[in-house]
Amino acid sequence: MTEEEKINMEEEEILENEETQETPDAQENSENPEDSEVAEPAEEKDPLEAAQEEIEQLKTQILYKTAEFDNYRKRTLKEKAELILNGGEKAVGAILPVIDDMERALANGEKTDDPAVLREGMELIYNKMMKALESLGVKKIDTEDADFDTDMHEAVAMVPGMGDDKKGKVIDCLQAGYQLNDKVIRHAKVAVGQ
């Protein structure tokens, strides 16, 4: 027997119990005060039966809540799986125009031998790519004249003899670092003054 069948059977039992509780005898007893003393013991239910009815009601509520939670869990798992599969859609959509520009640059690169034109095209594509990344929340970690910070930088070299004013400062950036919404996704590789 499935949970749905159990719930349907228990609903029917509850409805039957409610119908039997609403009898016209209760109205008749309230009209005749002499009979009310005699009818009161008959109206009182056995405490065991009352407890069993309450238990059945609680069981029904638990079944409903369990089914509701199970549906919620399944729905959230499905949504999470969809987010994992399609989560990069926004990033890919932002990068596709840059790929189109790269393809055009490659096609036009064969037509010209002027390095200045090719360089200008590459700079335009680079700037477009950086704007696309910024729209996604990616930004470059600033290293120029910055104090060395282990949260942002990775020291790959120590440069001695730079003087006291350059001690503990970033001298050169060997590889740029990036943050995504204030979370470091790649540390900047730097040379630090000693």
Side-chain angles (χ1 to χ4, degrees), residues 128-145:
K128 189 171 189 176
M129 181 66 171
M130 292 308 293
K131 285 182 183 177
L133 289 175
E134 285 175 9
S135 72
L136 296 171
V138 177
K139 58 185 173 182
K140 200 173 192 178
I141 296 173
D142 186 31
T143 58
E144 192 170 328
D145 294 329

Side-chain angles (χ1 to χ4, degrees), residues 54-141:
E54 186 177 349
I55 288 170
E56 290 301 318
Q57 290 174 352
L58 292 173
K59 281 182 182 179
T60 305
Q61 288 177 356
I62 287 173
L63 285 174
Y64 286 139
K65 297 297 179 186
T66 304
E68 189 176 316
F69 179 74
D70 192 41
N71 290 338
Y72 167 76
R73 186 179 52 80
K74 287 177 183 176
R75 185 174 61 249
T76 54
L77 286 174
K78 182 180 176 185
E79 289 171 0
K80 187 177 180 181
E82 287 176 4
L83 280 175
I84 290 170
L85 288 175
N86 302 323
E89 182 178 348
K90 185 178 176 184
V92 171
I95 293 172
L96 286 178
V98 177
I99 292 173
D100 294 338
D101 288 348
M102 291 290 286
E103 289 172 350
R104 277 188 232 112
L106 290 171
N108 290 331
E110 296 173 3
K111 297 176 185 175
T112 183
D113 291 331
D114 187 9
V117 173
L118 295 174
R119 180 175 178 80
E120 182 183 347
M122 291 298 290
E123 286 176 359
L124 290 172
I125 292 171
Y126 172 77
N127 291 335
K128 189 171 189 176
M129 181 66 171
M130 292 308 293
K131 285 182 183 177
L133 289 175
E134 285 175 9
S135 72
L136 296 171
V138 177
K139 58 185 173 182
K140 200 173 192 178
I141 296 173

